[in-house]
């Protein structure tokens, strides 16, 4: 069981007029974590990421990704902190042409061990995003290859369980 | 069957670097439509809204609302248009202390009849938001009253059916 | 003296944790007004705009524009309103390869006459943006033509006067 | 001459449909840097900041700040980078009840020495923000005290020089 633990910094502007991180902005934080995980950069080596081979993404890539679906539960309001929040990410499913990225947002400061389950307090947020892998040239969904499936295998865990459905 | 049809204007900044309305910004459009529907303003009479009685919302209200859950499916990419998109909204469920707002985003220009089912093309987006009604003073969930339930009844329809689950 | 009067709708998310339209978001409102003014769309005929000839902008255009400079004074805090704010726009200067767009944000509801000076209350905001016209192919600034200069002439007024400089 | 050097991370969503950091979002980056500089947090010790004494800001503060004016020049387009940009900040003026924060955005990766002038390449952006100090209770501007003026003195430098005015 290998979850990525990606630190994401809040911006003060993520707050809305109620003084908490706005529910829509929470999905922005997840987007940032997902981009970190999928899109390896030489200049960002320190960040926890899935193997580059996992998806040859980026502007010059032959594959693109589309967000097809999102589901999110807000368990506790998220206040402004200067310390980054920690987004735990794993793959809940690798299907024919799509994969489900699962997330939990936790508040513990960085320096926390980066693997293994999280003990203690419940997360602020639980969410999942279904990503469709497409052929960059045609824009059509394409099958995930056996090689990709193998590379992703260590990151697959049971999908996030939502309380309200 | 009475759906609200709320026009929402895009902003050019809703586009991301791929040139489509960003998937997170789509939830911003739904937020705008939901605020229009729940939060009646004298200055905004022309907008389709649920009866004010439905929720005594607003800054001075004795009830507040919390977003507890969202689910969204992106069926077609949404390009920039100067004409507003049309967000169809209905209530998919009225539970003890929460209600599910359901949405479809359609692209037809305003002037379209404002009630009745939509024929033809599939929507850009299908989504739902679970809203918990809270007591403004305590911040705790409170029971939806019989009177509120009655006022909401005409707007209740079967919940949105998601394709990917 | 012919100012454009462009209605721009606020979004609830324009508010920050202090409950007013955030100072950065104010520039977003000006961006929206500027895009309306420069970028004529058949579907948006009802909006006040400069003559299309003024700048052959848009995705297929042979000219692009770059924002080179902005200056803004916040005179009064802008609260959330459902009615659109009114952005008055004019050209403060047409230089060799650039032009200065000047703005005032006013709060009166639409239906106000769309030309002539504004009497009464001071605006919420005064601002200007210097836009450089570039050749789409090379990305380099290009000279504004005599024909463009002529078309813009009716919209030129003395530049906005800033109080704090 | 003591400039603060505040690292600010871009978000992918800072890009607009032209694939560069949007001109309005650049002011968001400056806002983030300014908040870091003025608003000391125990949890954010590693960040370069003005002495806490400089402004007793924050939610429980007896003084607030208002943004009264901004001016910004965009010298080079800012592309997406995973490494943070570096915002250099200093005070260009301390007036009776206001102060001018000056900024330059540079692209060099962190690890750069944090004081002294920057050699070499021109910045992406030059900007300044006039901040009015107000009394939290009355909301009115209040005089900057002799003690505050003394604490700020080491951070005062000649104001940023704008090329286009």
């Amino acid at each position: 069981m290998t979850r990525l633990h990606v630190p994401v910094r809040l911006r003060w502007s993520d707050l809305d007029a109620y003084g908490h991180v706005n529910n829509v902005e929470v999905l922005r934080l997840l987007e940032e974590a997902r981009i970190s995980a999928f899109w390896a950069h030489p200049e960002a080596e320190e960040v926890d990421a899935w193997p580059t081979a996992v998806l040859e993404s980026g502007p010059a890539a032959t594959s693109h990704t589309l967000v097809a679906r999102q589901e999110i539960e807000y368990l506790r309001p998220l206040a402004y902190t200067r310390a980054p929040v920690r987004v735990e990410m794993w793959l809940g499913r690798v299907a024919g042409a799509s994969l489900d990225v699962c997330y939990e947002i936790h508040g513990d400061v960085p320096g926390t061990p980066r693997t293994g389950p999280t003990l203690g307090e419940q997360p602020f947020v639980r969410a999942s995003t279904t990503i469709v892998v497409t052929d960059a040239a045609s824009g059509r969904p394409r099958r995930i290859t056996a090689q990709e499936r193998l590379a992703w295998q260590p990151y697959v865990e049971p999908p996030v369980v939502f309380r309200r459905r």
Side-chain angles (χ1 to χ4, degrees), chain A:
Chain A
M1 192 168 79
T2 308
R3 293 185 176 190
L4 299 189
H5 289 208
V6 178
V8 176
R9 281 171 197 279
L10 304 183
R11 290 184 180 174
W12 185 77
S13 55
D14 293 337
L15 303 182
D16 63 23
Y18 293 123
H20 292 110
V21 175
N22 175 262
N23 69 79
V24 177
E25 285 305 300
V26 170
L27 287 142
R28 183 70 66 210
L29 304 179
L30 301 181
E31 178 182 70
E32 279 302 299
R34 195 172 64 239
I35 289 171
S36 287
F38 273 111
W39 199 347
H41 272 225
E43 57 187 282
E45 286 179 84
E46 82 289 358
V47 173
D48 212 4
W50 282 314
T52 318
V54 162
L55 198 67
E56 327 90 75
S57 192
T62 57
S63 298
H64 283 171
T65 54
L66 275 181
V67 170
R69 181 181 177 282
Q70 304 208 74
E71 186 167 356
I72 182 166
E73 273 183 10
Y74 306 90
L75 306 176
R76 294 189 288 151
L78 185 52
Y80 180 62
T81 60
R82 286 275 283 269
V85 296
R86 184 167 52 80
V87 181
E88 293 193 7
M89 297 173 70
W90 69 96
L91 298 175
R93 197 180 61 128
V94 182
S98 71
L99 47 119
D100 288 0
V101 178
C102 298
Y103 323 76
E104 286 177 5
I105 300 186
H106 292 269
D108 10 20
V109 291
T112 315
R114 289 166 57 158
T115 52
T118 300
L119 302 171
E121 238 179 337
Q122 72 168 351
F124 289 101
V125 160
R126 282 194 204 103
S128 73
T129 302
T130 301
I131 286 176
V132 173
V133 181
T134 61
D135 179 70
S138 71
R140 299 284 196 71
R142 69 147 175 85
R143 293 201 66 76
I144 289 172
T145 67
Q147 193 181 351
E148 287 168 332
R149 201 171 293 275
L150 197 66
W152 273 322
Q153 197 49 53
Y155 306 96
V156 178
E157 263 189 65
V160 66
V161 177
F162 291 105
R163 203 172 47 172
R164 294 172 174 273
R165 256 224 190 179

